[in-house]
Amino acid sequence: MFYMERETSMKRNVEQLRGIHCERSSKLDRFRSNNFWRYYSLIRYVFSFGLGNVSRNQVIKVRERVFTDFDPNFFWKWTDFQSYLDFILLFAAFMGILTYLLVDVPAFVETIGLLAVLMEAMLGIPQFLCNFFNKSTNGMSIVMVGLWTLGDAFKTCYFVVREAPIQFEVCGALQVIIDIAILAQVYIYQNSSAVHAKVPVRVD
């Protein structure tokens, strides 16, 4: 009888010890789990904060390109509007002084006149190239180009009738050809323009 009670008591003690051990193990696992997620959140926060600082520093360290840098690689690619104004004003002042000094030189005057009418004749080239690369005339005003064509045709006829210098006649004819080419793009890219003009409609 004594041995049976002793054995029962030992079994009870063993079960209590197992329960205590399981409880401690559970508490230890919860402690480890909580600490793991706590450390993980802390590391993640530090890492994201560091990346945020790096990104902000990268944005801050991007160098602005201005006219006063005199970098030919970034000519007409400046990051501020003031640089474009500075260049135009400086160029206008330089050409004004140069024209004043060489106004009595016929070759200089003729060259300036040729460059002026040639640049005016090339005004439609950017629009032509834009249509060509996009394979579309979507967004372009056909009425505007039509008025360009009429105005340039009348101007060229006036130059011919009034026997203006040859550079006016040549550049006027070139301008009319460019206008007609842009109008031809309206017909060539009419299908592409129709596709680009479609607006997606939701069916749900």
Side-chain angles (χ1 to χ4, degrees), residues 2 7 15 40 68 71 73 89 113 120 125 129 140 142 144 146 165 172 177 181 185 194 198 201 203:
F2 174 76
E7 185 177 356
E15 290 177 356
Y40 173 78
T68 52
D71 189 349
N73 295 325
L89 291 176
E120 183 186 4
I125 290 296
L129 293 177
M140 185 188 72
I142 301 176
M144 179 190 68
I177 293 173
Q185 287 180 323
K198 289 183 178 180
V201 179
V203 294

Side-chain angles (χ1 to χ4, degrees), residues 6 19 21 27 29 35 44 46 54 58 65 77 109 125 128 137-138 150 152 156 160 164 166 178 182 204:
R6 185 176 180 182
H21 178 72
K27 289 182 180 179
D29 291 338
N35 283 344
R44 184 178 179 184
V46 173
V54 171
Q58 288 177 348
R65 300 295 177 176
K77 298 177 183 177
V109 175
I125 290 296
F128 178 84
T137 57
N138 187 37
L150 290 176
D152 295 336
T156 303
V160 174
I166 188 64
I178 295 174
I182 295 175
D204 55 347

Side-chain angles (χ1 to χ4, degrees), residues 130-163:
C130 181
N131 297 339
F132 176 77
F133 290 126
N134 293 333
K135 304 300 181 184
S136 171
T137 57
N138 187 37
M140 185 188 72
S141 175
I142 301 176
V143 176
M144 179 190 68
V145 180
L147 293 176
W148 278 359
T149 307
L150 290 176
D152 295 336
F154 291 148
K155 179 175 62 177
T156 303
C157 292
Y158 175 80
F159 290 154
V160 174
V161 171
R162 302 295 294 182
E163 297 182 354

